[in-house]
């Protein structure tokens, strides 16, 4: 970007550069959030690796913004503690150098800590660095500061609460519910229970399977699992499944054009997570009007307790989840007002306002 363009950014007339890290091509969240900033003129720099981030930050200055999202690529990709420590030092140095030239820093707290962290002590140190350095901490759940307080302190930071957008308008494909169910050979009285997203141990799929063995709904239960799964975790799921439980499984990435079919076919989506701060799957379910079952965590109740399309089970309790799945569920479509309130462009405009105010 030319010097004159940077001067206009400093004068508040033209946005500067926005370095976003990490950017995952298969995660639509960032594409939705960046709709308004791209439209208003921010020059978005995308990186998924630490090396690329260092390159992107090398020339940032006044009028530019660094936005850090998920932290796992910094230290969790290291094969040894010494390598993880070296990567953390490099990350800190790159951030501090850019801020020293006038760039501002935003951190979005997607998770209290990176999932399945191998170098947990360094992950906590990284989170504390961001908590102590960020000009603005962006949270999707309004109670994030309370959830993370045992690990790091956000009390002295400027916190911006901008919730996760729905996916309204993103996955609105063709096809009907009848066609979707027929494609999976689901009968009218089948209760199709959907788990959508990466199948990983911390997400509680084992407890969901246990609960389905105890549930007594009026129809036959069919477990639908859809999401990328490691070969090791596929073997774990294979060992957990009892005889007699019908399953429909796709242990691989679900392409955008096929997402609607899975949710159209489902009667209920379940998030049996052992640890959850935020989840895009919740907003996917809302977008398609699918009733959803969540663990009864205080921070989730705080943001979603008034939603009629959500049911709650005691965290980690398969019997409690089985009881919920044995009862009548909210009708499909109840969540559509929720999805409309959180439409992608309206949420993205709030994010664009945050960025503009930050460099004003």
């Amino acid at each position: 970007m030319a010097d004159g363009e940077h001067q206009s950014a400093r004068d508040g007339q033209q946005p500067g550069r926005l370095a976003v890290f990490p950017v995952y091509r298969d995660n639509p969240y960032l594409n939705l959030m960046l709709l308004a900033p791209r439209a208003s003129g921010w020059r978005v720099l995308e990186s998924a690796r630490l090396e690329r981030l260092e390159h992107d930050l090398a020339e940032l200055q006044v009028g530019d913004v660094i936005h850090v999202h998920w932290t796992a690529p910094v230290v969790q990709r290291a094969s040894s503690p010494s390598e993880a420590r070296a990567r953390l030092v490099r990350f800190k140095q790159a951030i501090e150098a850019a801020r020293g030239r006038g760039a501002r820093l935003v951190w979005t707290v997607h998770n209290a800590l990176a999932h399945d962290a191998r170098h947990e002590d360094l992950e906590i140190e990284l989170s504390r660095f961001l908590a102590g350095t960020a000009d603005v901490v962006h949270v999707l759940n309004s109670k994030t500061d309370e959830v993370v307080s045992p690990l790091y302190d956000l009390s002295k930071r400027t916190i911006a609460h901008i919730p996760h957008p729905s996916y309204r308008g993103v996955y609105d494909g063709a096809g009907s519910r009848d066609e979707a169910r027929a494609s999976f050979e689901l009968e009218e009285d089948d209760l199709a229970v959907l788990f959508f997203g990466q199948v990983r141990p911390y997400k509680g799929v084992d407890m969901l399977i246990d609960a389905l063995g105890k549930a007594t709904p009026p129809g036959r239960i069919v477990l639908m699992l859809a999401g990328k799964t490691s070969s090791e975790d596929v073997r774990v799921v294979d060992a957990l499944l009892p005889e007699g439980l019908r399953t429909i499984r796709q242990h691989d990435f679900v392409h955008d054009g096929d997402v609607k079919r899975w949710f159209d076919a489902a009667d209920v989506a379940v998030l049996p997570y052992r640890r959850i701060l935020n989840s895009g799957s919740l907003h996917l379910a809302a977008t398609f009007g699918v009733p959803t079952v969540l663990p009864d965590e205080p921070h989730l109740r705080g943001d979603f307790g008034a939603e009629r399309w959500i049911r709650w089970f005691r965290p980690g309790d398969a019997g409690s989840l089985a009881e919920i799945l044995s009862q009548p569920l909210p009708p499909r479509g109840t969540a559509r007002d929720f999805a409309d309130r959180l439409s992608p462009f309206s949420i993205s405009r709030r994010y664009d306002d945050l960025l503009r105010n930050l460099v004003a």
Side-chain angles (χ1 to χ4, degrees):
M1 186 175 288
D3 291 342
E5 292 176 275
H6 277 298
Q7 181 62 50
S8 63
R10 288 192 288 271
D11 294 340
Q13 298 173 2
Q14 175 67 33
R17 290 172 289 195
L18 173 61
V20 182
F21 173 84
V23 174
Y24 301 125
R25 298 299 180 187
D26 60 353
N27 188 327
Y29 169 79
L30 289 180
N31 289 332
L32 299 183
M33 293 297 285
L34 289 168
L35 287 171
R38 289 187 192 277
S40 67
W42 287 91
R43 179 185 170 193
V44 179
L45 309 177
E46 302 179 353
S47 58
R49 297 181 298 109
L50 177 58
E51 294 76 12
R52 181 66 194 185
L53 175 66
E54 291 172 310
H55 174 272
D56 288 346
L57 300 191
E59 296 184 0
L60 297 193
Q61 55 182 313
V62 174
D64 298 327
V65 177
I66 310 154
H67 193 148
V68 176
H69 286 270
W70 301 273
T71 57
V74 180
V75 300
Q76 298 311 319
R77 290 183 182 172
S79 57
S80 67
S82 60
E83 182 189 357
R85 166 62 65 185
R87 290 175 64 85
L88 177 55
V89 169
R90 287 168 52 195
F91 176 80
K92 288 182 178 181
Q93 290 175 340
I95 295 289
E96 289 171 339
R99 292 191 76 249
R101 295 189 300 271
R104 310 301 293 273
L105 173 63
V106 179
W107 177 35
T108 294
V109 184
H110 290 276
N111 311 297
L113 282 182
H115 298 306
D116 298 330
R118 292 183 296 168
H119 310 290
E120 186 172 291
D121 56 337
L122 294 176
E123 189 66 34
I124 293 172
E125 182 178 339
L126 169 57
S127 297
R128 288 175 178 171
F129 167 75
L130 290 169
T133 307
D135 297 287
V136 173
V137 175
H138 166 221
V139 300
L140 295 91
N141 183 282
S142 62
K143 305 295 183 183
T144 296
D145 57 336
E146 298 175 13
V147 176
V148 304
S149 60
L151 299 167
Y152 45 91
D153 182 13
L154 299 180
S155 64
K156 297 179 177 63
R157 301 264 62 84
T158 298
I159 294 179
H161 175 221
I162 303 177
H164 195 299
S166 74
Y167 295 92
R168 180 57 51 84
V170 178
Y171 292 113
D172 294 348
S176 67
R177 174 164 164 78
D178 288 344
E179 290 170 335
R181 287 180 72 86
S183 72
F184 290 113
E185 299 183 353
L186 290 168
E187 302 295 336
E188 185 175 349
D189 64 344
D190 287 339
L191 178 72
V193 179
L194 175 63
F195 178 97
F196 192 93
Q198 286 191 353
V199 181
R200 298 172 66 184
Y202 76 89
K203 291 189 173 182
V205 175
D206 55 344
M207 191 199 67
L208 172 59
I209 293 172
D210 186 15
L212 295 181
K214 299 174 180 177
T216 56
R220 180 181 64 160
I221 290 178
V222 179
L223 173 61
M224 303 180 72
L225 294 175
K228 189 174 181 180
T229 315
S230 70
S231 56
E232 179 182 352
D233 287 334
V234 170
R235 290 192 292 271
V236 171
V237 173
D238 287 341
L240 289 170
L241 291 173
E243 291 187 20
L245 174 63
R246 184 187 169 196
T247 61
I248 300 170
R249 296 196 275 168
Q250 179 174 322
H251 289 297
D252 199 357
F253 178 73
V254 178
H255 293 287
D256 289 351
D258 203 34
V259 170
K260 181 179 185 294
R261 184 172 69 101
W262 285 84
F263 280 90
D264 279 352
D267 293 291
V268 60
V270 179
L271 280 64
Y273 303 166
R274 291 188 174 89
R275 300 186 308 277
I276 175 176
L277 179 56
N278 305 289
S279 174
S281 296
L282 170 68
H283 295 272
L284 265 176
T287 300
F288 294 108
V290 180
T292 303
V293 184
L294 291 178
D296 197 352
E297 299 278 5
H299 61 282
L300 297 179
R301 277 276 189 177
D303 279 8
F304 309 117
E307 300 299 331
R308 296 181 297 113
W309 54 282
I310 292 178
R311 293 291 182 266
W312 306 89
F313 72 95
R314 288 188 298 277
D317 188 335
S320 173
L321 179 54
E323 183 178 351
I324 294 299
L325 294 175
S326 300
Q327 298 172 1
L329 294 165
R332 288 179 58 92
T334 313
R336 294 197 182 277
D337 288 344
F338 173 86
D340 287 341
R341 293 198 306 271
L342 299 178
S343 63
F345 199 72
S346 65
I347 296 297
S348 181
R349 289 184 65 180
R350 290 170 61 178
Y351 172 48
D352 188 39
D353 288 343
L354 182 157
L355 297 174
R356 287 176 171 272
N357 290 334
L358 185 58
V359 299

